[in-house]
Amino acid sequence: MRVPVNLTNSLSQDFEALLIDFLFKQGHLKDPESVRSDRFLNRSLIPHIERLSSHFNRLEFKKGTSFSERSTAELETENYWSSSSNPKNRRLAYFLYFMPPNLYRMAAVWSELARYGYKWPFSDSFRALELGAGPAAGSSGVLAAENISPIGLPKEGNWALIERDQSMLRLGTAWLESYAGYNDFSHWIVKPFQRELNFEEPLLRPSSPQFQLILMSFFLNEIPATPSQKAERLYQLIDQNLEEEGLFILVEPALKSESRKILEFRRELLSLCQAKGFSKLKVLLPCLGEQACAALAQPEDWCHEKITWPRPPLVKRIDELCQLDHKTLGFSYLVLTKSERSHEELLPTLKGSESKNRYRLVGDSYKHGPDQEFFLCGQDGKRRARYKTKEKFKRGDVLKNVELRGAHESTRIVKGEKL
Ligand SMILES: C[S@@+](CC[C@H](N)C(=O)[O-])C[C@H]1O[C@@H](n2cnc3c(N)ncnc32)[C@H](O)[C@@H]1O
């Protein structure tokens, strides 16, 4: 994945000031300068950040021992917004420390779509939905990227946000309205819906409209259901509530356990589509196709992306104070669409390459003498490959028109061009 320099620049400049100004104007911060004080951070934010961080990393601190893993069932049922003795500070802590990286992850995914030449296929007013929206990190990530690497979203439209926590939803709605105005999308209307989504029943009401874009950012992993139950519910959502040509984007944690769940979800969704004769579901990113997942075939493997970002000074200071590390951002993701068009039509950069000769780097690249070594993922599975080239490669790069020699465990790339 390549994050455009402009996106990095735009978020390194006044983004943090914008967040603080917003919180101050909304009455969530009494004094905008307070976030510069370690005393304030230590007393009001860090206990919540540590608590949320161990929750999201599925860890629990047991007295007298080190961190141990918490059971998924226990985590999935915990409502961390209402279980705090100071919910206001907990929301503030999430907004300042966890929302910006999630915004950036979604922005990176949106920019990646733009990099492949994807163009917004609708001409009418825009309709989007974010599920488990929290502070609307996903929607605001799309906004941030659309301003820098536009795929052509119209200036008028509606965002529906669904979230179970009323106060978080209020915060997310106000933030998205304010950030849309800042990004020159002031005609977008944000509609909040407080609802606890239950994956045992249809997620939306029969009267719900169709959407052109559906987002989930760090939400699906919180749902207590198996990958096949999730696939069934989201298949229904895609079938009934995603407009033809619409996009469905999921961003999830990079943790092995959670990343494998999204891969299992992908497998289940594709097999459901096959069973129902639903050929319109296309996996755009990161897989560039609907082939069986090669990472899932190995019990110890998983698939995630890693990007660097302009870590805001406040996030950096909090990292230092609580010995966390948000220098790079990991995540797993899927971009799906409901379309009869081919991958090459949807992502024009792929034109002139055949899917069977196309491979994506799914790990970091290492130098071995004159060679670079990395893992490749393609239609025929995953390979450890070496390539004698002066060109530099990064995780997420795509090679087209590739000619290979040798077995999966030690392949030599004879020829290939970077996309
Ligand atoms: C980790 S937060 C992610 C928030 C935001 N999407 C982001 O990327 O920062 C997950 C959000 O999903 C919400 N959530 C969890 N389960 C839910 C459910 N069953 N229905 C609606 N919202 C839910 C939580 O309240 C929380 O705000």
Side-chain angles (χ1 to χ4, degrees), residues 56 80-81 94 98-99 102 130-135 137-138 162-165 168 195-197 217-219 222-223:
F56 296 139
Y80 40 82
W81 302 133
Y94 188 91
F98 294 96
M99 190 280 280
N102 286 357
E130 181 170 358
L131 302 178
I162 298 187
E163 162 59 49
R164 69 178 168 192
D165 186 80
M168 201 32 140
R195 207 172 291 161
E196 171 115 27
L197 295 166
S217 162
F218 286 73
F219 162 68
E222 298 207 345
I223 297 300

Side-chain angles (χ1 to χ4, degrees), residues 202-267:
L203 298 182
L204 300 185
R205 300 192 174 130
S207 57
S208 299
Q210 284 204 316
F211 296 93
Q212 299 161 340
L213 172 65
I214 301 181
L215 303 178
M216 295 182 183
S217 162
F218 286 73
F219 162 68
L220 197 60
N221 70 99
E222 298 207 345
I223 297 300
T226 62
S228 75
Q229 287 164 331
K230 290 178 186 177
E232 207 158 309
R233 225 23 99 203
L234 294 182
Y235 170 80
Q236 189 178 36
L237 187 71
I238 290 169
D239 186 30
Q240 295 172 8
N241 299 98
L242 184 68
E243 216 169 287
E244 292 283 316
E245 298 293 329
L247 282 178
F248 192 99
I249 305 182
L250 285 124
V251 178
E252 289 278 287
L255 290 172
K256 180 177 150 194
S257 62
E258 302 315 298
S259 172
R260 280 189 72 83
K261 280 187 205 150
I262 190 173
L263 303 181
E264 286 170 21
F265 159 78
R266 175 188 181 278
R267 179 187 61 202

Side-chain angles (χ1 to χ4, degrees), residues 161-218:
L161 304 180
I162 298 187
E163 162 59 49
R164 69 178 168 192
D165 186 80
Q166 181 69 56
S167 306
M168 201 32 140
L169 181 63
R170 229 177 276 131
L171 177 64
T173 306
W175 162 244
L176 185 57
E177 282 169 346
S178 152
Y179 197 53
Y182 175 79
N183 281 294
D184 203 19
F185 283 91
S186 50
H187 294 297
W188 280 5
I189 294 165
V190 186
K191 295 182 177 169
F193 297 91
Q194 194 238 329
R195 207 172 291 161
E196 171 115 27
L197 295 166
N198 174 0
F199 274 56
E200 284 174 10
E201 48 193 54
L203 298 182
L204 300 185
R205 300 192 174 130
S207 57
S208 299
Q210 284 204 316
F211 296 93
Q212 299 161 340
L213 172 65
I214 301 181
L215 303 178
M216 295 182 183
S217 162
F218 286 73

Side-chain angles (χ1 to χ4, degrees), residues 85-96:
S85 57
N86 191 334
K88 203 166 170 280
N89 280 353
R90 180 151 296 184
R91 288 193 295 276
L92 189 61
Y94 188 91
F95 191 82
L96 284 168

Side-chain angles (χ1 to χ4, degrees), residues 131-148:
L131 302 178
S139 317
S140 32
V142 168
L143 264 173
E146 183 62 20
N147 228 357
I148 306 292

